[in-house]
C-alpha cells in the first residue's frame, strides 16, 4: 500500500516552520533588539511623574521685576526633579539688540536639575515656592514627554512677547495642552479688572524710569480688561489662579505647596489706586509759573527749549514703536498728541528767544498748532470706544502746552519782543 499521510505530514511541518519564521520576523520588526515591548510594558506600569509649578518672586534688576516660573517634572522612584525653564535668552546672539527693539527677540527652553536652576535665585535673595499638581497619570506622562521634546535644541527656541509669549504664558499653555483645554476653560471667563498697563506699572513701580516707560509707551492695547487666563502673563497671578482650578476628575489641581527659598529682597508691590488729580496739580502749577513770567520771554524760552526737545525725542520713539516694531502694546498710542514730534519745528524759535531775537515768522502759528493737537487728546479720551488710560498725562502736559502758547505767541509777547531784541 502507498502511505498518503507522509507527504501531508511533511507539508504540515513545513507550514509550521514557515509560520514560526514569520512570527519571528514580525516580533523583531516591532521590537528592535527585543526591547520595545518590555519597555512599553514597563512604561505602562511605572508610576507617573510628579508635576509641579515653581514660582520665583520678583528681583531687584529691571528684567526681574515681573518674577519668573518654570515647570518641574519629578521622578517618584529616583527623586530627581528636572526644571523646564522657558526664560533663557542669549544677549550675545547675533542681532540681539536690533531684534529686541523690533519686538522679535528669541527666548528658549532649558531643562536642568531643579537645584541648579534655583541656585541663581538663592544668590539673589529671591523667594521661590512650588505647587505640586494633581494631574491624572496619562496627562502627567503626556506633559513630561512634551517638555522633554520641547527642550531639544531644534525645538527649544520661541519668539518672545512681553504679554502673550513669555516664561509664564508658556508654562500656562503647556499645562493647558496637557489638561486638554481644561485650564483655559476655567480661567478665560473670569476677570479681576486688571490690565496689561496696571500690572506692568505695579510691578515696575520700584524703578521710576521703567514704570514711566510702560505708562507712556503703551497704547489702548494695554488697557483692555484681562481675564484670569490673560493675566497669567505674571507668574504670581498664574500661581494664584492655579489654586482655584480643578483637574479633569473634579479635584483641586494644586495638591500641595512648598516653600523652596525665602524672600530676602523687597516683596512684590501691592495693588493701589492711581489718581489723576496730583498730575493736574503739577501741570497746573507749572502752567501758573509760566504765565507769571509772561514778561520775561527769555526765561520762558529757557524752559520751553528742553521741554520741546524732550517732546520731540519721546514722540519719535513712540512713533517708531508704533510704525516700525512688532510691539503690539505700543500701537496707536495717543500720547503722540501730547509728545508731538512736530515740536522739533519750535526749537529754532526757542533758541532765537534765548538769544534775544524774534522767534520767526511762523513760530506763533506752529506753536498754536502743537497746542491744538495736544488739546485733541482730551475729547478723544472721552469719546473713544477703545479707551487709553492716559488722562494723567493729558492733565499734566496740556496745561504746559497751552501756557507756553499763550506766553510765547506773537500777540502776547511784550512790545520789545516783537522787535529785534528781547529784554
Amino acid at each position: 500500500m502507498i502511505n498518503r499521510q507522509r507527504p501531508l505530514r511533511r507539508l504540515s511541518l513545513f507550514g509550521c516552520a514557515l509560520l514560526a519564521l514569520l512570527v519571528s520576523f514580525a516580533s523583531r520588526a516591532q521590537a528592535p533588539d527585543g526591547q520595545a515591548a518590555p519597555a512599553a510594558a514597563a512604561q505602562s506600569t511605572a508610576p507617573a511623574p510628579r508635576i509641579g509649578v515653581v514660582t520665583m518672586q520678583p528681583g531687584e534688576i529691571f528684567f526681574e521685576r515681573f518674577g519668573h516660573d518654570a515647570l518641574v517634572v519629578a521622578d517618584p522612584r529616583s527623586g530627581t526633579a528636572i526644571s523646564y525653564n522657558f526664560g533663557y535668552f542669549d544677549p550675545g546672539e547675533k542681532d540681539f539688540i536690533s531684534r529686541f527693539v523690533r519686538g522679535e527677540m528669541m527666548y528658549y527652553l532649558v531643562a536642568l536639575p531643579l537645584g541648579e536652576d534655583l541656585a541663581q535665585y538663592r544668590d539673589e535673595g529671591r523667594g521661590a515656592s512650588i505647587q505640586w499638581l494633581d494631574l491624572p497619570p496619562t496627562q502627567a506622562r503626556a506633559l513630561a514627554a512634551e517638555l522633554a521634546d520641547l527642550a531639544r535644541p531644534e525645538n527649544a527656541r520661541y519668539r518672545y512677547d512681553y504679554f502673550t509669549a513669555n516664561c509664564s504664558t508658556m508654562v500656562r499653555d503647556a499645562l493647558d495642552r496637557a489638561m486638554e483645554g481644561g485650564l483655559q476653560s476655567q480661567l478665560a471667563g473670569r476677570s479681576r479688572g486688571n490690565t496689561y498697563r496696571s500690572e506692568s506699572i505695579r510691578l515696575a513701580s520700584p524703578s521710576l524710569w521703567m514704570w514711566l516707560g510702560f505708562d507712556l509707551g503703551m497704547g489702548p492695547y494695554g488697557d483692555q480688561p484681562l481675564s484670569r487666563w490673560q493675566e497669567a502673563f505674571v507668574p504670581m497671578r498664574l500661581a494664584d489662579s492655579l489654586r482655584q482650578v480643578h483637574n479633569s476628575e473634579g479635584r483641586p489641581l494644586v495638591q500641595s505647596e512648598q516653600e523652596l527659598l525665602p524672600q530676602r529682597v523687597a516683596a512684590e508691590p501691592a495693588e493701589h489706586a492711581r489718581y489723576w488729580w496730583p498730575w493736574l496739580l503739577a501741570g497746573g502749577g507749572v502752567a501758573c509759573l509760566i504765565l507769571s513770567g509772561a514778561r520775561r520771554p527769555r526765561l520762558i524760552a529757557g524752559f520751553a527749549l528742553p521741554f520741546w526737545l524732550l517732546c520731540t525725542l519721546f514722540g519719535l520713539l513712540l512713533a517708531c514703536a508704533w510704525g516700525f516694531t512688532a510691539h503690539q502694546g505700543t500701537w496707536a498710542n495717543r500720547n503722540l498728541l501730547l509728545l508731538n514730534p512736530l515740536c522739533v519745528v519750535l526749537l529754532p524759535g526757542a533758541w532765537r528767544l534765548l538769544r534775544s531775537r524774534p522767534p520767526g515768522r511762523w513760530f506763533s502759528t506752529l506753536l498754536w498748532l502743537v497746542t491744538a493737537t495736544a488739546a485733541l487728546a482730551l475729547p478723544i479720551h472721552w469719546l473713544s470706544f477703545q479707551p487709553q488710560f492716559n488722562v494723567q498725562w493729558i492733565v499734566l502736559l496740556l496745561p504746559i502746552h497751552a501756557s507756553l502758547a499763550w506766553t510765547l505767541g506773537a500777540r502776547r509777547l511784550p512790545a520789545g519782543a516783537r522787535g529785534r531784541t528781547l529784554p
Side-chain angles (χ1 to χ4, degrees), residues 26-81:
S27 63
R28 289 184 182 182
Q30 293 178 0
D33 301 328
Q35 295 178 358
Q43 183 178 6
S44 63
T45 58
R50 197 178 184 195
I51 305 297
V53 176
V54 58
T55 303
M56 299 80 162
Q57 295 299 311
E60 296 179 318
I61 305 175
F62 70 93
F63 57 81
E64 300 173 348
R65 294 293 185 191
F66 282 60
H68 192 56
D69 60 4
L71 279 165
V72 174
V73 177
D75 187 336
R77 295 173 299 182
S78 64
T80 58

Side-chain angles (χ1 to χ4, degrees), residues 19-206:
L19 180 62
L21 185 62
L22 291 174
V23 170
S24 175
F25 279 123
S27 63
R28 289 184 182 182
Q30 293 178 0
D33 301 328
Q35 295 178 358
Q43 183 178 6
S44 63
T45 58
R50 197 178 184 195
I51 305 297
V53 176
V54 58
T55 303
M56 299 80 162
Q57 295 299 311
E60 296 179 318
I61 305 175
F62 70 93
F63 57 81
E64 300 173 348
R65 294 293 185 191
F66 282 60
H68 192 56
D69 60 4
L71 279 165
V72 174
V73 177
D75 187 336
R77 295 173 299 182
S78 64
T80 58
I82 301 299
S83 175
Y84 290 89
N85 192 323
F86 289 90
Y88 279 79
F89 61 91
D90 182 9
E93 189 176 22
K94 182 181 179 181
D95 298 330
F96 176 82
I97 299 298
S98 62
R99 294 179 70 91
F100 171 78
V101 171
R102 297 195 308 268
E104 300 173 354
M105 186 165 54
M106 301 299 293
Y107 270 49
Y108 53 94
L109 168 64
V110 170
L112 65 166
L114 177 60
E116 183 179 334
D117 195 15
L118 291 176
Q120 173 186 348
Y121 304 98
R122 181 184 296 108
D123 295 340
E124 295 169 352
R126 298 169 61 183
S129 59
I130 191 168
Q131 296 171 304
W132 292 110
L133 306 183
D134 184 7
L135 288 175
T138 55
Q139 294 183 358
R141 292 190 181 98
L143 180 56
E146 179 186 4
L147 291 173
D149 183 62
L150 287 176
R152 296 169 62 91
E154 62 269 24
N155 302 327
R157 289 164 57 87
Y158 68 95
R159 182 168 170 175
Y160 180 86
D161 182 271
Y162 290 107
F163 304 124
T164 60
N166 65 9
C167 63
S168 188
T169 63
M170 296 298 283
V171 168
R172 176 201 67 186
D173 293 349
L175 278 176
D176 185 60
R177 288 192 296 271
M179 296 174 65
E180 301 176 348
L183 183 60
Q184 183 174 7
S185 65
Q186 296 181 64
L187 297 180
R190 302 159 64 184
S191 174
R192 286 182 284 206
N194 294 317
T195 65
Y196 289 130
R197 185 187 306 276
S198 67
E199 289 291 84
S200 299
I201 291 175
R202 176 179 69 88
L203 293 167
S205 57

